[in-house]
Amino acid sequence: MIAQIAFVLVFAAGIFLFARRVREIRRNISIGQAVDRTDRKNERWRTMTMVALGQSKMVARPIAGFLHLLVYVGFVLINIEVLEIVLDGITGHHRLFASFGGGVYDALIGAFEILAALVLIACVVFLIRRNVINIRRFRMKEMDGWPKSDANIILVAEVLLMFALLSMNACDALLQGKVAELMAAGQEIPEALSHYIEAGSFPVSSMLQPLYAGMDVDGLIMTERFMWWFHIIGILAFLVYVPYSKHFHIIMAFPNTWYSKLEPKGQMTNMEAVTNEVKLMLDPSADPYAAPPADAAPVKFGAKDVQDLTWKQLFDSYTCTECGRCSSECPANQTGKLLSPRKIMMDTRDRLEEVGKNIQSDGSIKDDGKSLLRDYISEEELWACTTCNACTEACPVNIDPVSIILDLRRHLIMEESKSPESITSMFNNVENNGAPWAFPAADRGKWIEELNA
Ligand code: SF4
Ligand code: SF4
């Protein structure tokens, strides 16, 4: 009974801490500007099914894609076993599902063991790829410090959790053997052993049995219980940790792909304020001197800080897996420029977290003298972007870093009149000549004469 109470308390604490963090993230995302992403629902479900559930963009890099698929499938299916562990913990039973399962239960446990072994192997390969093999996208500057540790912490945790699961089963199988021996000898089964009825099949953990075979019954029970508690507390700790880490994409990838931008990748959004101005200019019945309502908020062009971005752009930042596929495809990054689209997403999330802490006390956004633009993302990074959209194409969870870059640029140009020399002269040409070139409209065809056409 004490074990059951302890379990319920630990479980409730894990769920509470997870829910509290999710509420914080929800509040942070909700400071973003409104945008409607609920149209074309069929297309949205299809996109989510293909991209998040089917991992269709992961396979663009087959080795990493296959390993990720193993971890993903293992993570999803092993949760059935976790459900049994949780119910065992609450009810005080042992292997509760075995009583309904029979052969099905044996097959399931066997399948979970194989998956656990594959997850373990995949995580070890990921650790080697990240820490030993010289892969450029894992060495970029933005991955120094916490992002690198975060990736390693989760991989090591998964290795330990899978090892605990297999060790728990190995001890369980040995204890089941002891019970079978006693029953065959017609002896009474002691209370401490009565739980370990024959259940499950152990194709992988049987290989670990030699590690524990020398232990007596008490040692085996203690080890089995230790691994059981280690496994479930580890999972709860994982649950609490995940929303603080890039691994939150495990959950966020699904809604994020549902709310994907469905328009063609290069299609830019119109700025509502500018569109309204143009409509006003073209409407002969409109009063050009009409003053805006006294309580109207001042119109802002572009984005300077996270609260000027849309909620979807903020949602993107919490979904970013920091995989770096975007940056490794980015031509600006490849040619040595400062821009890394992954860093744009990480900076947006870091700044949003900072603003989130500021509003923690009374719910209002306070001016802390900082902004996403310049304190996190420099002008040099912004102007390095060619808007080629290679990053959005490469992103396995349909994140759109370009939209953030464009909105920050819009602020620079329309609010601060700041743009690089080359763009400023293009603007002047458009204004004076109606085209980006420095020629009057009448001279534009002269190149044809030079060709003697
Ligand atoms: S759109 Fe910009 S950030 Fe994205 S890949 Fe192209 S140059 Fe890089
Ligand atoms: S934006 Fe997408 S591709 Fe780039 S690091 Fe994040 S998840 Fe990976």
Side-chain angles (χ1 to χ4, degrees), residues 35-200:
V35 60
D36 183 18
R37 287 281 173 88
T38 54
D39 58 339
R40 295 146 77 179
K41 291 199 171 53
N42 289 344
E43 208 175 325
R44 296 194 176 282
W45 284 112
R46 211 168 33 248
T47 306
M48 190 188 86
T49 309
M50 293 282 292
V51 179
L53 200 64
Q55 310 241 313
S56 58
K57 291 173 95 177
M58 284 301 293
V59 289
R61 297 186 187 207
I63 298 176
F66 176 68
L67 292 171
H68 188 270
L69 193 69
L70 287 181
V71 176
Y72 164 68
V73 173
F75 174 80
V76 172
L77 292 183
I78 289 172
N79 278 322
I80 301 173
E81 190 163 15
V82 173
L83 178 67
E84 184 190 43
I85 292 176
V86 169
L87 292 175
D88 282 350
I90 294 170
T91 60
H93 279 82
H94 183 69
R95 294 197 178 272
L96 186 66
F97 292 171
S99 47
F100 328 109
V104 177
Y105 184 81
D106 292 354
L108 272 179
I109 295 292
F112 294 152
E113 286 216 339
I114 292 167
L115 277 173
L118 291 174
V119 170
L120 199 152
I121 292 167
C123 288
V124 170
V125 177
F126 276 141
L127 278 167
I128 294 169
R129 273 166 58 84
R130 280 189 173 267
N131 298 289
V132 182
I133 301 175
N134 211 4
I135 297 176
R136 185 175 170 266
R137 67 190 161 109
F138 297 136
R139 283 188 292 110
M140 288 180 198
K141 203 168 174 307
E142 67 264 22
M143 295 307 286
D144 288 351
W146 168 247
K148 184 174 180 181
S149 313
D150 178 31
N152 284 332
I153 286 170
I154 286 285
L155 288 171
V156 171
E158 287 191 45
V159 168
L160 293 176
L161 286 177
M162 293 305 116
F163 180 76
L165 181 75
L166 293 170
S167 293
M168 179 184 89
N169 282 353
C171 295
D172 200 318
L174 288 170
L175 288 163
Q176 289 179 24
K178 303 263 183 217
V179 173
E181 276 170 26
L182 290 175
M183 283 169 77
Q187 292 181 20
E188 198 180 329
I189 312 296
E191 168 69 20
L193 267 180
S194 60
H195 276 318
Y196 298 98
I197 43 137
E198 197 178 339

Side-chain angles (χ1 to χ4, degrees), residues 320-326 342 345 395-397 399:
C320 180
T321 72
E322 296 174 15
C323 65
R325 289 179 181 223
C326 51
R342 170 174 56 188
M345 300 317 302
C395 180
V397 285
I399 284 171

Side-chain angles (χ1 to χ4, degrees), residues 224-296:
E224 192 273 338
R225 285 293 84 193
F226 173 79
M227 293 297 175
W228 188 93
W229 277 102
F230 183 87
H231 185 63
I232 192 64
I233 289 179
I235 285 173
L236 289 170
F238 185 88
L239 186 74
V240 174
Y241 175 80
V242 152
Y244 290 93
S245 131
K246 69 173 188 131
H247 294 87
F248 200 38
H249 74 265
I250 296 168
I251 296 166
M252 297 290 270
F254 291 88
N256 199 61
T257 48
W258 198 88
Y259 291 117
S260 292
K261 175 186 173 187
L262 298 179
E263 290 73 35
K265 290 207 164 52
Q267 186 172 319
M268 294 178 193
T269 52
N270 283 335
M271 296 171 74
E272 206 183 333
V274 176
T275 309
N276 290 342
E277 285 291 320
V278 173
K279 278 184 186 159
L280 198 67
M281 285 158 64
L282 297 176
D283 180 0
S285 62
D287 174 6
Y289 304 107
D295 58 349

Side-chain angles (χ1 to χ4, degrees), residues 303-306 351 370-379 382 407-409 411-412 416:
K304 185 181 183 195
D305 209 344
V306 281
R351 173 61 183 155
K370 287 190 189 174
S371 64
L372 179 63
L373 179 64
R374 295 199 184 89
D375 288 303
Y376 286 80
I377 300 173
S378 65
E379 290 178 44
L382 295 177
D407 282 343
L408 293 171
R409 279 184 184 176
H411 171 88
L412 279 174
E416 299 186 19

